[in-house]
Amino acid sequence: QKGDVIGEMSIISDKPCAATVVAGTNVKLFGISRNFLSSRKEVQSGNLDSTMYRIFAMILTEKLKVTNDKAKNYETTNLALRKAQQELEQNERKLQELVKIRTDELVQSRLTVEELEESQEALRESTEKYSAVVKATQAGMLVLEEDLKIVDSNQEFLDMLELTSDEYLLGSESKTWIAPHHLNRYEKGVELLQETGTLNFLELDIVHHDGQIRTVEVSANKVVLRGQNRIVGVFRDITD
């Protein structure tokens, strides 16, 4: 705009300076020789010298103000940057802690799965060994719920009762197949089993579906099968 001064820094700093100035319209430039100004020994009020030095002072003041504003903006920006960096470091530490916690959980979960698989494998092996022993002794076997209802049996026990299937057996109470004269002995055996978890060599008479009686020797244990409390009884036929 009119009255603007360009090239003032070369006079103020007494050094050659370069700048690019673009005018939007045709302008007239009024040039003042640097040697002319520097050769003046005195600055008189109202003269061109005084006017130019006042302009230089105003320019320097404005430049100083702009520099101060930039310094303030830099300080504000730098402070915000440091704060953001601190928050980033805190979040990174939190993330590392969460990753460690999650990693520990996954490792523990993996160990738990491995332990479960090992337990299941051990249970399977134990079941196979137990079944092999029972089969070798040709003993009958029943699996009972805690309320003594029958939930499973093997073929040897069905043969003892001369049953062709377990249709009438499953879901019935175990005492249904005990001879009436041995019900009291059966109840005492159940009490002992509930107290100690084990019953050994209890002699009982059981009744066929047609009323015939066979004498068996019973051993039983409280176990956990597939996460449920069960009673496994082994019956050995000792009928004379």
Side-chain angles (χ1 to χ4, degrees):
Q1 60 184 6
K2 291 181 179 180
D4 282 349
V5 177
I6 60 175
E8 75 283 350
M9 291 307 298
S10 63
I11 297 176
I12 295 173
S13 63
D14 195 25
K15 293 179 181 179
C17 296
T20 300
V21 180
V22 179
T25 60
N26 293 330
V27 297
K28 291 182 179 181
L29 293 177
F30 177 65
I32 301 175
S33 171
R34 174 176 176 275
N35 293 331
F36 172 77
L37 290 176
S38 60
S39 65
R40 308 288 287 182
K41 301 299 182 181
E42 296 179 358
V43 179
Q44 299 179 4
S45 177
N47 290 344
L48 177 62
D49 300 15
S50 175
T51 301
M52 292 304 299
Y53 280 109
R54 286 179 62 192
I55 292 173
F56 291 161
M58 292 172 61
I59 291 173
L60 289 176
T61 300
E62 181 63 24
K63 288 183 178 294
L64 180 60
K65 180 179 180 299
V66 171
T67 302
N68 286 337
D69 290 342
K70 288 183 178 179
K72 289 180 180 179
N73 290 335
Y74 172 79
E75 184 178 357
T76 302
T77 303
N78 191 42
L79 180 62
L81 181 61
R82 288 200 303 268
K83 184 178 180 181
Q85 185 176 3
Q86 290 174 354
E87 292 178 353
L88 180 61
E89 291 174 352
Q90 291 176 355
N91 290 333
E92 185 177 2
R93 286 194 295 269
K94 289 181 180 179
L95 180 60
Q96 290 175 349
E97 291 175 359
L98 291 175
V99 169
K100 183 179 182 303
I101 292 173
R102 182 56 179 159
T103 301
D104 292 342
E105 289 177 349
L106 289 175
V107 170
Q108 184 61 38
S109 176
R110 181 180 177 183
L111 290 176
T112 301
V113 171
E114 291 177 351
E115 291 172 355
L116 178 60
E117 291 177 348
E118 291 177 357
S119 298
Q120 290 176 336
E121 179 64 19
L123 177 61
R124 184 186 64 79
E125 292 178 357
S126 297
T127 302
E128 290 177 353
K129 291 179 181 179
Y130 190 77
S131 298
V133 171
V134 171
K135 186 174 181 179
T137 58
Q138 296 184 342
M141 185 169 64
L142 285 182
V143 179
L144 312 176
E145 294 179 333
E146 289 185 292
D147 60 2
L148 303 179
K149 289 185 178 179
I150 300 172
V151 294
D152 198 6
S153 68
N154 65 352
Q155 185 59 47
E156 283 74 13
F157 189 83
L158 295 178
D159 293 342
M160 287 182 187
L161 298 180
E162 295 185 359
L163 294 174
T164 56
S165 72
D166 58 9
E167 178 181 357
Y168 300 103
L169 191 65
L170 299 186
S172 65
E173 294 185 8
S174 56
K175 68 178 181 180
T176 303
W177 306 94
I178 304 300
H181 59 273
H182 273 178
L183 282 176
N184 186 49
R185 181 182 297 182
Y186 165 84
E187 295 291 349
K188 290 182 179 179
V190 169
E191 290 180 5
L192 179 62
L193 175 63
Q194 298 292 1
E195 291 176 1
T196 65
T198 301
L199 179 65
N200 293 316
F201 310 118
L202 176 65
E203 187 176 314
L204 289 174
D205 286 344
I206 60 175
V207 183
H208 282 207
H209 70 286
D210 60 0
Q212 296 184 39
I213 293 178
R214 301 194 70 83
T215 302
V216 295
E217 186 179 71
V218 183
S219 295
N221 289 281
K222 297 175 72 173
V223 299
V224 177
L225 295 178
R226 297 178 182 177
Q228 296 181 323
N229 293 328
R230 293 287 187 258
I231 297 171
V232 175
V234 177
F235 297 76
R236 191 167 65 89
D237 192 343
I238 57 173
T239 302
D240 293 334

